[in-house]
Amino acid sequence: MPRDNRLSRSLHALIHLDRHVKRATSETMAKMLGTNAVVVRRMMSGLRDKGYVVSEKGHGGGWELRVGLTEISLLDVYQAIGAPALFSIGPAAEPSPCLVEHAVDAQLDQTLSEAEALLLKRFSQITVADISDDYLSKMAKLGLPSNTFPKCSE
């Protein structure tokens, strides 16, 4: 099962919009993220709907941050992309008459619900600015200027 990388891609795009470009087209971001513009538009539309970015069509248009990265948590971005499943494991999809399966499914449900609550709580405590600061710290350790973005296509 392939990983859902929308959260990672969304965070990546937000940091670039804050640190490197004032406005970027879906095509530019698609190159940077190694995907296509349709995927970017879908991903960014959730962020736009929540008010974190704005978009302008036409010549000179593109995506632009509307709020600072300190105002956006990982939880905010996770919810903006549709709150995808956090775990690929879990109880059986189809109900079964087997009591062993009932016991297994009940325990898995409870444990995964507890883990999800902890993870979402932690997401709420981390801002996109925290991630950006970590990125800038890594750049400084490498002696690279903060206005460059090595290893990114655009």
Side-chain angles (χ1 to χ4, degrees):
M1 173 182 219
R3 285 183 140 176
D4 184 329
N5 57 13
R6 289 178 292 169
L7 180 60
S8 176
R9 284 181 171 168
S10 297
L11 294 166
H12 187 154
L14 289 169
I15 292 169
H16 270 295
L17 286 173
D18 182 66
R19 299 294 179 188
H20 301 122
V21 294
K22 179 172 172 48
R23 183 177 288 166
T25 65
S26 298
E27 291 74 20
T28 298
M29 285 200 285
K31 287 179 192 173
M32 175 187 62
L33 297 171
T35 189
N36 66 59
V38 172
V39 171
V40 170
R41 282 189 284 277
R42 249 186 259 131
M43 174 185 82
M44 296 300 286
S45 69
L47 296 167
R48 181 190 56 220
D49 293 345
K50 296 288 187 178
Y52 304 126
V53 297
V54 293
S55 63
E56 190 174 314
K57 294 180 182 180
H59 183 68
W63 298 96
E64 192 174 325
L65 271 176
R66 187 172 183 198
V67 300
L69 298 185
T70 58
E71 298 176 50
I72 310 169
S73 71
L74 267 65
L75 180 61
D76 295 329
V77 178
Y78 170 75
Q79 291 170 336
I81 62 168
L86 292 170
F87 306 112
S88 62
I89 61 171
E94 299 297 320
S96 168
C98 178
L99 294 178
V100 171
E101 190 167 331
H102 288 193
V104 168
D105 288 353
Q107 189 62 53
L108 284 176
D109 264 341
Q110 179 183 344
T111 304
L112 290 171
S113 291
E114 291 169 5
E116 185 173 304
L118 286 171
L119 183 57
L120 294 177
K121 180 179 179 185
R122 185 67 181 121
F123 276 8
S124 73
Q125 299 165 344
I126 301 168
T127 67
V128 182
D130 294 331
I131 299 169
S132 182
D133 291 346
D134 182 53
Y135 150 74
L136 292 174
S137 172
K138 286 179 167 86
M139 294 287 285
K141 284 181 184 175
L142 293 171
L144 298 170
S146 62
N147 63 344
T148 61
F149 37 100
K151 307 281 185 203
C152 295
S153 300
E154 284 294 320

